[in-house]
Amino acid sequence: MKSIPNYLICLLLLLCGLVSIAEVSVNLDGGELSDRATVLYSVIFAFVTATWVLHDARELDFSAPFDFGLFIYLFLPILLPYYLFKTRRVDGLMMFFGFVAIYILPSFAGLYAYVYYS
């Protein structure tokens, strides 16, 4: 059971890599990724991240309120740094910045490809 959060992090990295490749290839052609693709990436990223939090909280025996599962899906940008700080302190904040970096990497990759190779 301990490997489920690791698989979810690998899934986030794979998703980030695939969207980065799509973003770079579209930007090299002079276009931009569609709004639907961007929203789909955001929704999948949020869902996988929230699922990671739920599995990680179960493994760490985090004493969460009854509705924590619902709240983490609804208020992920607010509760993710709270959860990471409560469970890991300063290392948790570094993990939060890692999640943010994984999320915005495709945009920066596309921007880099557009600026320097178009």
Side-chain angles (χ1 to χ4, degrees):
M1 186 78 176
K2 284 193 175 260
S3 63
I4 288 177
N6 293 337
Y7 286 129
L8 292 172
I9 295 293
C10 290
L11 180 63
L12 284 176
L13 291 171
L14 178 68
L15 177 68
C16 173
L18 292 174
V19 173
S20 295
I21 291 170
E23 185 87 38
V24 167
S25 65
V26 167
N27 284 341
L28 286 177
D29 289 337
E32 63 182 53
L33 211 56
S34 70
D35 290 338
R36 286 183 181 182
T38 306
V39 168
L40 183 63
Y41 170 65
S42 298
V43 168
I44 292 173
F45 187 89
F47 180 76
V48 172
T49 303
T51 305
W52 176 85
V53 169
L54 292 177
H55 283 285
D56 190 63
R58 197 172 305 135
E59 283 185 7
L60 296 178
D61 292 329
F62 179 68
S63 59
F66 176 72
D67 293 335
F68 183 70
L70 173 67
F71 289 148
I72 198 69
Y73 282 105
L74 294 178
F75 305 111
L76 182 68
I78 298 168
L79 289 180
L80 181 62
Y82 167 77
Y83 168 75
L84 290 173
F85 183 75
K86 283 296 255 188
T87 58
R88 294 171 174 86
R89 298 293 174 197
V90 175
D91 290 340
L93 292 178
M94 296 306 293
M95 283 183 73
F96 175 70
F97 291 127
F99 278 107
V100 170
I102 292 171
Y103 179 73
I104 63 174
L105 181 68
S107 298
F108 281 122
L111 180 65
Y112 183 82
Y114 179 77
V115 168
Y116 290 107
Y117 297 107
S118 290

